[in-house]
Structures are given as structure tokens and as C-alpha cells.
Amino acid sequence: MQLRYRNAEGTEVIVQLGDEPMVIGRSAEANITLLDEKASRRHCEVRLWAGDYVLKDLGAQNGTLLNGAEAKVAVLSPNDQIKVGSITIFFEEKAPVGNTTAMREIEQEMEVGKGYRTILRQIVSDSNPPRKTEGK
């Protein structure tokens, strides 16, 4: 899963989520720093908890909105919108790799010495996971 938003310069930023909590706020110590006067220094956080990503407001003065409603603690679902100050953050599934990215990754593998056949075998094995077989 990932968080996607536009920073103060209008550049799109994508942050991949993992096991570590992501603090969102105005502070330079926040994992995701937002340059917005309406954001608190430690505004909210997104963390993995019991297999779900959870949004938690950290006592922000202006509150945290989830899909337009104030949220103190909420389980996130794909396509949810988190509003921190004037910035909207989209919670979404990681985008699939496009053709251009895939080709760039293959070129990088070849530069470090992997051969075409090795890469092809890896692609085929990744797309065809082993099947369970029943013992006799």
C-alpha cells in the first residue's frame, strides 16, 4: 500500500507503506513533512495494525478528515482520502509496474551481468507460483 499526495511545489509524492508507523505533520521530524500552516507538527499517523493500515489523529488542532468526516482512529481502505490541513493524501494499492519501468528494471539486471534467459526464467517463475501437489 502507498500514500500519494502533491507537495507544496505541486510535485506528486508517493510513499510506500511498510511495518513502521508513518507520522504525518509539519515537523521536520515527521516521516512525511507537509508544508501547510493548518497541519500540526505531529498531525496524524498511519500504521500497520493486525493486518490493516490504521489512521490515527495525534491530537491535531484542526483535526484529521477521512473521506470528508473527522476521524480519530479508523481502518483505511483502498482509495480513501485523508485530509491534513489543505493537503489531500490518497491511500491506495501500489501501482502495477508499467512497461517502461519493467524495461528499465530488465536493463539494470542485464547491466549487472544477468543474462536474458535468466531474467526470462525469473519472470516466468514469478508469474507461475508452484502448485500444491497431493502426496500418494
Side-chain angles (χ1 to χ4, degrees), residues 108-124:
Q108 289 171 350
E109 292 286 328
M110 291 179 93
E111 284 176 11
V112 296
K114 271 193 183 176
Y116 175 76
R117 288 183 182 176
T118 302
I119 295 169
L120 186 57
R121 273 195 301 272
Q122 183 179 346
I123 292 168
V124 170

Side-chain angles (χ1 to χ4, degrees), residues 22 24 30 59 63 72:
M22 283 287 172
I24 302 168
K72 295 294 182 194

Side-chain angles (χ1 to χ4, degrees), residues 22-25 38-47 54-66 69-76 82-85:
M22 283 287 172
V23 174
I24 302 168
K38 295 181 181 178
S40 295
R41 283 176 278 149
R42 291 178 44 88
H43 198 99
C44 63
E45 74 176 7
V46 174
R47 72 169 49 222
V54 176
L55 171 69
K56 180 180 180 186
D57 181 90
L58 297 175
Q61 184 175 352
N62 292 318
T64 302
L65 300 180
L66 178 62
E70 190 168 347
K72 295 294 182 194
V73 177
V75 174
L76 293 170
I82 303 163
K83 186 93 170 186
V84 175

Side-chain angles (χ1 to χ4, degrees), residues 2-22:
Q2 65 186 23
L3 298 175
R4 180 178 53 85
Y5 66 98
R6 292 205 177 274
N7 65 17
E9 293 83 36
T11 304
E12 185 173 77
V13 178
I14 296 175
V15 177
Q16 300 302 323
L17 295 172
D19 295 337
E20 296 298 315
M22 283 287 172

